[in-house]
Amino acid sequence: MSVNRRTFLQGAGGAVALALAQGALSKIAYAQGASGTLRVAIAKPAGNLDPQSHYAIWAIQDLMFEPLVKYGKGGQIEPCLATDWKIEDGGKTLHLTLRQGVMFQDGTKFDAAACKWNLERWMGLDQFSWMNCSKHFQSLDVVDDYHITLHFKDPVLALMQELSYTRPTRFLSPKSVGADGKFKEPVGTGPWVQVSADDSQSVFEHFDGYWGDKPTYERLEAKVIPDARSRVAALRSGEIDLIGGFWIAPLTPEEGKQLEAAGVNVVVDPGNVTLVMAFNPDRAEALKDPQVRKAVSIGIDRAAISKVLYHGYAKPAGNMFSGALPYAGTQYDPPVRDAAAASALLEKAGWTGSPIRSKNGKPLTLELVVSPDAVPGSRVIAEVIQSEMKEIGIDLVIRSVDHASKHTDMLEQKYDLGFFLTYGAPYDPFGSIVGLCLSTFHNDVEGKLVTDPVNLDPLINAATAATGDQIQPTIQKVYDWLRDNDAIAPLVYVPSIWAHSKRIQGFTSPVTEYDMPYENIVLAE
């Protein structure tokens, strides 16, 4: 069954009840005496944990640093260090009420002064202008110890969503920087305190002074295990308790099935990231013709990819974003493979002959660039698509590159066809729409999924300027343009896969791929 926004929200009631029950269980267990260690695998060392830098594992920062608001299920914005907020002046003024009784882990009080100090570390600075709330920041007023007001030059799109990000928005103790103002040690208001860190592991203990519900176990160890097979073996042997998460310690669908067969608990969430195929008509002349792009798209068997390569964990995609995200637009069924229709489109476009079609003496050859390092399993998916393209007369050449080269090639448009992953919650839909599709936005990492300064940019700019009830209809025009022009080919909604030992009870997948799923867990000793 596909999971759309409606079914997702219908399920939310049960999820809330479950969460409440788990919360009650957690409190009971804690009241009886917290103990035990949760052992989580991470694929690489945690790195520089400065919340205003961009090097650390997000989920490790999530253990210590908290935001003003949290991104909840279905995109609901929930209180965290801010308990209330009001947006006025057409979206240009934000009034915040701060939570009282919150302390940083070094004993420093969290109040308006600490909030101001943190916000001024990144708001209004050029290096953070990729966030609208920083780009449009004008000034900040401290009203009293627990109220501040932010002023913006222009209305900020998805303002509260941006304030829920893992970085640079999370709060650091003003005493945890050196005399030069630079980050010195990771001290936040969150439930976990880092007690040691090196290239083999990061160790945390829970913060006794935490304002919220405390974990039911005393210690969390994030063990560095770079090799995927070694991580799976460590889980099966009982060395670790938890693996998974796209940015923490990825688990492939095949590994998930192997663990299921071995009796290990595997949890699969529909996720909110989409695998999308990009067309590059600037390099491949044939792809300027929308009939060729459509032929490629309907020549791909998404259901087979989902069933065989993702072992049934993934859902075929008919849209850029799944209905699990807010403002995801009208949800269409995924295209069904139709080789005859694809061949007819190519004939109509003037590409004829066999086994490989040609036009004006030039064969229909396209290069697909993949990076299994960046997108696990992409080489196998490419080989399946290669076989399907051959059946309709397209010679598909696969070029595999490493993670670094993938970014370089995408930035320099050295591909005809390529795989992109959307950013997922809490960044989407606007993060990917702006970052991957707006020609005037400088994206120095992933490159562009599709751009069209004349036709697409005005639609995106209108969507990002819309407020209130106008957001949905204006962003729908972006989705309609992408669909009407066969500008991209969404393939599958990438599932979130986790596996855990029997020591763990109450596990639930995190709301975003950037969070650590430590909440609600009770350890059975």
Side-chain angles (χ1 to χ4, degrees):
M1 183 185 74
S2 64
V3 178
N4 56 32
R5 182 169 173 75
R6 185 177 179 186
T7 54
F8 185 86
L9 291 175
Q10 285 173 337
V16 169
L18 178 60
L20 290 172
Q22 288 166 338
L25 179 59
S26 300
K27 289 174 182 174
I28 291 170
Y30 183 71
Q32 291 173 338
S35 63
T37 300
L38 176 67
R39 302 160 301 177
V40 182
I42 54 178
K44 61 181 182 180
N48 180 351
L49 295 174
D50 182 353
Q52 276 80 54
S53 75
H54 292 274
Y55 301 105
I57 295 175
W58 281 281
I60 297 297
Q61 290 174 309
D62 181 57
L63 294 170
M64 291 169 288
F65 304 116
E66 293 185 297
L68 288 166
V69 292
K70 284 189 172 182
Y71 185 95
K73 287 281 187 184
Q76 293 294 313
I77 299 299
E78 302 171 350
C80 189
L81 293 180
T83 57
D84 195 15
W85 53 92
K86 182 184 292 184
I87 299 174
E88 294 181 331
D89 193 22
K92 295 196 289 186
T93 301
L94 172 64
H95 302 283
L96 289 167
T97 300
L98 305 180
R99 186 179 297 279
Q100 299 188 34
V102 176
M103 304 291 285
F104 287 98
Q105 295 155 359
D106 60 4
T108 303
K109 184 168 69 173
F110 173 78
D111 56 12
C115 183
K116 179 177 185 290
W117 180 86
N118 270 272
L119 293 178
E120 291 180 343
R121 281 175 61 83
W122 61 274
M123 271 200 172
L125 303 185
D126 286 344
Q127 70 187 93
F128 302 109
S129 62
W130 56 275
M131 292 177 67
N132 287 313
C133 61
S134 180
K135 183 171 68 177
H136 299 312
F137 176 72
Q138 185 173 57
S139 62
L140 183 157
D141 297 328
V142 173
V143 179
D144 59 33
D145 284 352
Y146 292 99
H147 292 87
I148 65 172
T149 300
L150 298 172
H151 301 283
F152 301 96
K153 290 172 281 189
D154 292 298
V156 179
L157 174 73
L159 172 59
M160 303 311 293
Q161 213 167 313
E162 286 195 345
L163 293 178
S164 73
Y165 292 178
T166 306
R167 57 197 184 205
T169 63
R170 301 212 177 185
F171 287 81
L172 177 72
S173 170
K175 294 181 180 176
S176 62
V177 299
D180 57 0
K182 293 184 178 178
F183 173 80
K184 192 170 64 177
E185 55 187 343
V187 181
T189 61
W192 293 99
V193 181
Q194 179 176 283
V195 294
S196 67
D198 56 31
D199 288 343
S200 66
Q201 66 174 357
S202 294
V203 178
F204 304 87
E205 292 180 352
H206 68 60
F207 173 35
D208 287 337
Y210 184 55
W211 61 270
D213 289 340
K214 299 177 183 66
T216 61
Y217 42 97
E218 293 177 320
R219 192 177 168 94
L220 188 151
E221 296 176 356
K223 295 179 175 294
V224 180
I225 308 178
D227 178 66
R229 284 181 296 183
S230 298
R231 292 197 292 269
V232 170
L235 181 68
R236 295 186 65 171
S237 70
E239 181 185 342
I240 59 172
D241 300 305
L242 179 63
I243 58 175
F246 197 84
W247 303 113
I248 303 176
L251 191 61
T252 67
E254 186 173 1
E255 290 164 347
K257 281 295 176 186
Q258 290 171 354
L259 288 170
E260 269 191 315
V264 176
N265 295 307
V266 175
V267 178
V268 181
D269 184 272
N272 45 53
V273 173
T274 309
L275 177 65
V276 185
M277 175 176 279
F279 303 113
N280 184 11
D282 291 335
R283 186 176 192 244
E285 184 71 21
L287 294 175
K288 292 183 184 300
D289 189 334
Q291 295 177 108
V292 176
R293 298 197 296 268
K294 188 175 184 65
V296 171
S297 181
I298 65 174
I300 297 172
D301 191 340
R302 292 164 174 77
I305 290 174
S306 301
K307 182 177 180 181
V308 178
L309 301 181
Y310 281 89
H311 295 275
Y313 291 150
K315 303 296 182 187
N319 308 274
M320 185 167 175
F321 303 112
S322 80
L325 290 167
Y327 302 118
T330 303
Q331 294 294 290
Y332 294 100
D333 292 335
V336 176
R337 184 171 192 255
D338 189 336
S343 296
L345 281 169
L346 294 174
E347 290 282 337
K348 189 177 176 182
W351 294 94
T352 60
S354 68
I356 300 301
R357 297 173 182 274
S358 63
K359 185 177 181 179
N360 300 326
K362 185 177 180 180
L364 185 47
T365 299
L366 299 171
E367 182 187 69
L368 172 59
V369 174
V370 300
S371 172
D373 294 340
V375 183
S378 56
R379 174 77 197 193
V380 179
I381 296 172
E383 289 172 351
V384 171
I385 295 175
Q386 182 182 48
S387 175
E388 293 170 344
M389 292 299 104
K390 187 176 181 180
E391 291 179 21
I392 62 173
I394 296 177
D395 175 28
L396 188 67
V397 177
I398 301 170
R399 180 163 63 88
S400 287
V401 296
D402 61 22
H403 197 287
S405 299
K406 184 255 186 185
H407 288 301
T408 303
D409 285 4
M410 291 302 176
L411 282 173
E412 298 177 357
Q413 292 193 300
K414 293 179 179 177
Y415 65 95
D416 299 331
L417 301 168
F419 291 139
F420 278 75
L421 290 168
T422 56
Y423 298 163
Y427 299 93
D428 283 336
F430 296 105
S432 292
I433 288 292
V434 172
L436 300 179
C437 304
L438 183 64
S439 70
T440 55
F441 182 86
H442 296 294
N443 173 350
D444 296 329
V445 180
E446 290 91 0
K448 294 294 183 179
L449 175 59
V450 59
T451 57
D452 186 327
V454 175
N455 299 298
L456 184 57
D457 277 9
L459 298 177
I460 295 174
N461 288 329
T464 57
T467 58
D469 294 341
Q470 291 305 304
I471 295 175
Q472 184 69 57
T474 51
I475 198 169
Q476 183 63 48
K477 292 181 180 178
V478 175
Y479 302 140
D480 291 343
W481 187 91
L482 295 173
R483 180 180 173 83
D484 294 344
N485 291 279
D486 290 292
I488 61 174
L491 298 178
V492 296
Y493 301 126
V494 180
S496 173
I497 308 173
W498 296 85
H500 64 81
S501 70
K502 297 191 185 305
R503 291 182 71 230
I504 291 182
Q505 298 175 8
F507 177 87
T508 53
S509 299
V511 177
T512 83
E513 291 284 2
Y514 306 93
D515 301 332
M516 179 68 84
Y518 63 86
E519 295 176 314
N520 302 318
I521 287 177
V522 175
L523 293 178
E525 299 292 347

